[in-house]
Amino acid sequence: MKLVHISDIHINADPILGLDSIANFKKCLAYVEAHHQDAERVVITGDLTHYGLEESYHELAQILDGSSLKGKLEPRLMIGNHDNRETFASVFPSAVRDDAGFVQWTEETPAGVFVYMDTVDQGRHSGRYCERRMAWLKEVLDQARKSGQRAYLFMHHNPVRVHVANADIVGLIDERAFQSLLREYKDTAAHVFFGHCHYTLSGSVSGVPYSAPRSTSHVCWPEFSGQINRMGYGDLAPNYNVCFLGNNSTVVHSIDFLQAEKVKWKIYEDLEFV
């Protein structure tokens, strides 16, 4: 199964750190439309807007309405720390919420069950996955295990320390409890997809692999000085991930969509590669 994973689009009328988030997202979406019509799902893991403003959500809705990505390819929208849960739900009334009002739900796919999680702690940049949400997730994973399905988890915040101070201080506050749950269900949880950090990441946590793309808006540079108030950014290549989810493998590609025009192609007539 082919999945397109986009994150941190930060829709905002004004430039962010000198970069146009709306123009970049439109270019990202256009590239996805042109090259990934064979995908099964497109997921955006939060920070849909920069300030959680109603007008920004309306801008996003207008962009998506004009897109050819419909049906199974209509982007699944998740919220992040820059979003406002109630404002998002007012502009996107079809957004699925659980009994407690969190924007989280599950979806059956050819690869298994996709689990969309709400890690927002409204008003804070750090994430939280409280006991109520954890109970919901445990029930979902119990059902997946019972039915023999693989579960793919999608969230906004990083559930593991990435050794970059300004990211780790605003990661998932409940990371130890979440990691403990992952250890319990590592036979069922196949992969964790997240965003938030704005740079490409991959690894594993509690025996479960994870991956994250860069932001399509403003890319950050990972640095390891330990300074909490230091952030690297600039005119860096935004990207999204293309993931292939198989029975025995997960393959993740990073697509630097603004660099596509630089690519040159060569056709080998004799199939001899040099």
Side-chain angles (χ1 to χ4, degrees):
M1 173 184 165
K2 184 179 182 180
L3 160 73
V4 174
H5 177 199
I6 303 168
S7 199
D8 297 271
I9 62 178
H10 286 263
I11 299 299
N12 193 58
D14 297 321
I16 303 170
L17 300 175
L19 300 167
D20 189 334
S21 64
I22 295 176
N24 274 9
F25 178 61
K26 287 180 176 179
K27 290 174 183 177
C28 172
L29 213 57
Y31 200 80
V32 171
E33 289 176 310
H35 297 278
H36 305 301
Q37 291 288 336
D38 60 335
E40 289 287 339
R41 294 294 187 278
V42 177
V43 180
I44 305 178
T45 49
D47 279 359
L48 304 174
T49 68
H50 196 55
Y51 293 114
L53 301 177
E54 183 177 352
E55 53 263 38
S56 297
Y57 290 115
H58 281 297
E59 176 71 27
L60 174 58
Q62 185 176 9
I63 294 170
L64 296 178
D65 284 345
S67 168
S68 66
L69 300 177
K70 305 297 182 186
K72 68 179 183 180
L73 288 182
E74 181 177 350
R76 275 48 174 172
L77 303 179
M78 300 174 61
I79 58 172
N81 53 289
H82 280 264
D83 290 306
N84 182 286
R85 188 181 287 114
E86 299 305 323
T87 306
F88 164 73
S90 71
V91 177
F92 293 92
S94 62
V96 183
R97 305 177 76 170
D98 68 9
D99 293 340
F102 296 113
V103 183
Q104 52 182 24
W105 73 104
T106 64
E107 184 177 27
E108 298 291 331
T109 77
V113 60
F114 277 20
V115 184
Y116 304 106
M117 301 162 55
D118 182 339
T119 60
V120 172
D121 189 11
Q122 202 68 66
R124 299 178 182 274
H125 285 300
S126 55
R128 184 168 294 282
Y129 209 63
C130 60
E131 290 184 7
R132 194 163 187 175
R133 282 175 274 192
M134 201 78 76
W136 175 86
L137 178 59
K138 183 175 173 60
E139 184 177 338
V140 166
L141 293 174
D142 279 337
Q143 183 58 44
R145 176 185 278 169
K146 183 178 179 180
S147 60
Q149 287 182 297
R150 295 161 66 84
Y152 295 87
L153 310 186
F154 295 82
M155 59 200 303
H156 178 69
H157 290 84
N158 48 302
V160 61
R161 300 298 172 103
V162 298
H163 302 282
V164 177
N166 64 25
D168 289 339
I169 198 171
V170 293
L172 193 69
I173 297 299
D174 322 82
E175 66 171 26
R176 289 187 179 180
F178 180 72
Q179 290 171 12
S180 178
L181 183 142
L182 281 183
R183 280 192 294 273
E184 183 180 349
Y185 290 95
K186 64 182 180 181
D187 62 326
T188 301
H191 199 91
V192 179
F193 301 93
F194 62 89
H196 191 47
C197 297
H198 288 222
Y199 34 79
T200 302
L201 284 163
S202 62
S204 67
V205 54
S206 297
V208 179
Y210 66 74
S211 61
R214 301 175 202 141
S215 167
T216 62
S217 170
H218 47 293
V219 176
C220 292
W221 186 262
E223 60 84 36
F224 312 102
S225 68
Q227 296 183 46
I228 291 173
N229 61 347
R230 187 169 189 250
M231 183 186 80
Y233 72 95
D235 188 15
L236 307 171
N239 75 5
Y240 62 87
N241 285 348
V242 172
C243 314
F244 294 89
L245 314 180
N247 291 332
N248 300 305
S249 66
T250 298
V251 177
V252 180
H253 293 269
S254 293
I255 309 299
D256 299 348
F257 57 92
L258 293 186
Q259 303 295 309
E261 293 181 356
K262 299 179 181 179
V263 177
K264 299 179 181 180
W265 300 95
K266 180 175 177 60
I267 305 298
Y268 289 91
E269 301 293 345
D270 53 6
L271 298 182
E272 291 184 5
F273 292 88
V274 293

